[in-house]
Amino acid sequence: AQSVTQLDSQVPVFEEAPVELRCNYSSSVSVYLFWYVQYPNQGLQLLLKYLSGSTLVKGINGFEAEFNKSQTSFHLRKPSVHISDTAEYFCAVSDPESGGYQKVTFGTGTKLQVIP
Amino acid sequence: KAGVTQTPRYLIKTRGQQVTLSCSPISGHRSVSWYQQTPGQGLQFLFEYFSETQRNKGNFPGRFSGRQFSNSRSEMNVSTLELGDSALYLCASKRSSSYEQYFGPGTRLTVT
C-alpha cells in the first residue's frame, strides 16, 4: 500500500525567505505525485503535479517541486514566500496503474506560517 | 467554468441523527470522490463514484454511503451520527481519465 510522509507538521518562515516542505512516499511502483494547498475554511487547490517527464515541476504561485525517485521524495520549494502563502500544504500520491481510479493517498499536511 | 459546489457549507446535528451532503461537480466531470478531513486523522478517502457507480471505497463503516445521479451530482449520507463524525467533508471531481482532482469548499459537520 502507498503511504506519504510529511516530515514537518508546522514550518514557520520569515517573509521573503525561501522554504522547503518535505514529502516522502513509499511505493514499489511508479507513482503520480501532487501538492495541494488549503487556505482556511476552503477546499484543496492543486499546486502542481508530477506524472512523467522532467523531474522538476513548476506550479502556481511560484512553487516548484522535484521528484527524486532514488530518495522517494517530492519536496516543495519556493524561493521567496509571501504572507499570502500561509496555509496548509498536502502532498499526495496516486497509483498510475489504477487506470484513472482515484486511489489517492494524502499526507498529514504541513502548516506553513509566514512571519512578517 | 463554475467550480465544485457543496451544500450546505455548515451543518449541526445531534448524535443518532442522519445527514445528507450534496456535491455538484464541474461540468463535464463524471468522477466524484468524497473525503473526510479531521485534525486527528487528516484527509481520509471515503468513496469514489463514476457514472452512477461506486468504483472505489475507503475504510469507513457502512453508516457512510453515497450515490451519484445521472447528471453526475453526488450525495453522501451518514446515518446514526456519532461525535467522531464531526469533520470537514470534501468533495472532489475530475475527468474520467485524469488524475487531477478539483475540490469543493467542503461541508463542516458538527455532531453534538
Side-chain angles (χ1 to χ4, degrees), chain A:
Chain A
Q2 299 166 333
S3 68
V4 179
T5 302
Q6 291 186 245
L7 299 166
D8 305 299
S9 60
Q10 295 190 48
V11 173
V13 62
F14 286 104
E15 192 174 16
E16 297 184 7
V19 69
E20 177 180 84
L21 306 184
R22 297 180 291 171
C23 172
N24 287 88
Y25 66 93
S26 68
S27 175
S28 59
V29 297
S30 56
V31 292
Y32 291 159
L33 294 158
F34 308 84
W35 274 100
Y36 286 87
V37 60
Q38 185 178 32
Y39 299 103
N41 299 315
Q42 294 187 28
L44 277 68
Q45 180 183 8
L46 182 66
L47 271 179
L48 48 81
K49 62 182 183 287
Y50 171 79
L51 303 182
S52 64
S54 173
T55 57
L56 183 62
V57 180
K58 292 191 184 297
I60 62 172
N61 301 340
F63 284 93
E64 63 181 32
E66 185 157 19
F67 170 57
N68 188 319
K69 188 173 183 178
S70 62
Q71 297 186 6
T72 60
S73 67
F74 191 55
H75 300 333
L76 181 70
R77 301 185 184 100
K78 186 170 183 177
S80 175
V81 295
H82 301 131
I83 293 290
S84 59
D85 293 323
T86 296
E88 190 160 17
Y89 294 78
F90 293 89
C91 182
V93 60
S94 183
D95 176 8
E97 299 303 317
S98 62
Y101 290 10
Q102 207 56 54
K103 294 182 182 179
V104 180
T105 302
F106 284 86
T108 51
T110 298
K111 291 183 179 177
L112 174 63
Q113 182 185 7
V114 180
I115 304 163

Side-chain angles (χ1 to χ4, degrees), chain A residues 32 34 36 38 41-46 49 51 88 90 94-108, chain B residues 9-10 31 33 35 37 41-43 45 48 55-56 88 90 94-106 108:
Chain A
Y32 291 159
F34 308 84
Y36 286 87
Q38 185 178 32
N41 299 315
Q42 294 187 28
L44 277 68
Q45 180 183 8
L46 182 66
K49 62 182 183 287
L51 303 182
E88 190 160 17
F90 293 89
S94 183
D95 176 8
E97 299 303 317
S98 62
Y101 290 10
Q102 207 56 54
K103 294 182 182 179
V104 180
T105 302
F106 284 86
T108 51
Chain B
R9 291 292 312 277
Y10 302 92
S31 167
S33 295
Y35 294 86
Q37 186 178 23
Q41 300 296 321
L43 270 161
F45 172 73
E48 181 198 7
R55 66 177 183 181
N56 211 350
L88 180 67
L90 293 165
K94 71 180 187 74
R95 296 187 186 281
S96 58
S97 58
S98 171
Y99 286 87
E100 195 167 327
Q101 295 184 97
Y102 293 83
F103 283 80
R108 173 76 63 185

